[in-house]
Amino acid sequence: LASTRKFKGSVALIFQPAEEPEFPTGGFKMVQEGIMDRFGISQVFGMHSWPGLEVGKFAICHGSIMGSQDDFDIVVKGRGGHAADPHWTIDPVVIAAQIILGLQTLVSRKTDPLESLVISVTKLSAAQAYNVIPDQVEIAGTVRTLASGLRDFAEQEMLASAQGIARGFGADIEFRYLRSVPATFNHAEGTDLAIQAARSLVGSASVNAKMKPSIGAEDFAYMLEARPGAYIFLGNGPTAQCHNPAYDFDDHALPYGIGYWVNLVETVLPIGR
């Protein structure tokens, strides 16, 4: 771009840190600290490698392309005791099991099947001994959706469900719901520009413009809330999925990623504009 100057305007290259840690993430912090105004950014675009998609191909869609991420903690408070005498306890392990199963009915029986909602329990902590029923059990996990309204639904219904189940057994809960990342939403004009730039590089047949959205989350979403634009996936071949220790970035994808960025700048900022 610096050598050819086949564009009219200015370009900011954003190197985004700290995508994965808990809120506040790098994308949120950069927007909060004024990156858009500081560098006069009017449109913003992002890219992510995509295992399973052939190198040299791209995938994108209009609207929500990745889901929101919320995280939750539930502490079930019962009454502990000896495992040989469960009748003298209010067993938080059994209650926690009921709560975990109950949370899944919020998806299967209280959510429109045409809308995406995922509630995954990923942490469970109880006693450390074979013969102890603990006083409390800690449950934690994540909530993903493409529909912003379902975030409110999930928070309210998860609390009501967990609290109702616990109190039915004579126990109680503590509940924490942390809103981490909104859905990544591709704007219409920005998506069209991204598709045009990718197609001019690799041809229409190598650009899937109607990919299925991923329910995974991406904190680039905060940048797309601040400015219009789009997020696209770059093929990374038949490697393991992201977040798998066997994931391997294919260096052959680099020219396609670089080519896309150059084409995009020249498409968004044409000299004749």
Side-chain angles (χ1 to χ4, degrees):
L1 289 174
S3 62
T4 61
R5 288 286 171 179
K6 293 180 182 178
F7 65 96
K8 184 179 180 180
S10 60
V11 179
L13 305 182
I14 302 172
F15 296 90
Q16 178 185 329
E19 181 216 354
E20 297 299 341
E22 291 187 3
F23 182 85
T25 60
F28 175 85
K29 292 281 286 184
M30 294 179 91
V31 171
Q32 184 186 52
E33 291 174 4
I35 189 172
M36 301 300 173
D37 293 329
R38 181 181 176 188
F39 295 101
I41 297 171
S42 58
Q43 296 183 77
V44 65
F45 296 85
M47 179 192 291
H48 198 295
S49 69
W50 201 240
L53 181 64
E54 186 179 337
V55 172
K57 294 187 175 183
F58 294 85
I60 193 172
C61 67
H62 288 80
S64 295
I65 190 169
M66 298 195 79
S68 59
Q69 176 188 341
D70 297 334
D71 300 319
F72 65 89
D73 294 279
I74 301 171
V75 180
V76 183
K77 295 188 172 184
R79 182 171 66 241
H82 199 290
D85 299 309
H87 56 296
W88 292 342
T89 72
I90 298 175
D91 189 345
V93 177
V94 173
I95 298 168
Q98 295 285 343
I99 289 173
I100 291 169
L101 292 174
L103 293 179
Q104 298 311 306
T105 65
L106 301 182
V107 176
S108 65
R109 289 297 176 266
K110 299 192 75 172
T111 305
D112 186 334
L114 298 180
E115 294 186 320
S116 299
L117 177 65
V118 174
I119 300 175
S120 292
V121 173
T122 56
K123 298 180 182 180
L124 188 62
S125 177
Q128 301 299 312
Y130 288 107
N131 62 344
V132 173
I133 293 175
D135 286 322
Q136 66 181 40
V137 170
E138 298 176 9
I139 304 168
T142 188
V143 177
R144 308 298 177 100
T145 180
L146 296 170
S148 59
L150 286 179
R151 301 176 83 182
D152 294 332
F153 165 84
E155 182 174 5
Q156 295 164 9
E157 292 294 326
M158 288 174 68
L159 171 58
S161 176
Q163 200 168 61
I165 291 170
R167 288 178 177 175
F169 284 94
D172 208 346
I173 66 162
E174 289 181 4
F175 182 72
R176 183 181 77 107
Y177 193 92
L178 175 64
R179 304 214 176 195
S180 182
V181 178
T184 303
F185 186 86
N186 279 346
H187 300 257
E189 181 184 358
T191 306
D192 290 338
L193 290 168
I195 292 169
Q196 181 182 342
R199 284 176 173 171
S200 68
L201 179 70
V202 296
S204 296
S206 293
V207 180
N208 179 2
K210 295 182 178 181
M211 70 166 286
K212 286 185 177 181
S214 167
I215 206 71
E218 164 58 61
D219 79 333
F220 182 72
Y222 287 113
M223 297 193 183
L224 285 174
E225 283 191 334
R227 295 292 187 273
Y231 191 69
I232 197 168
F233 290 106
L234 170 71
N236 193 57
T239 183
Q241 290 296 309
C242 300
H243 298 255
N244 185 305
Y247 169 83
D248 183 27
F249 180 78
D250 191 331
D251 291 351
H252 294 97
L254 287 170
Y256 295 101
I258 295 167
Y260 166 79
W261 286 126
V262 172
N263 278 14
L264 181 67
V265 169
E266 294 175 356
T267 300
V268 176
L269 301 172
I271 292 177
R273 176 181 263 181

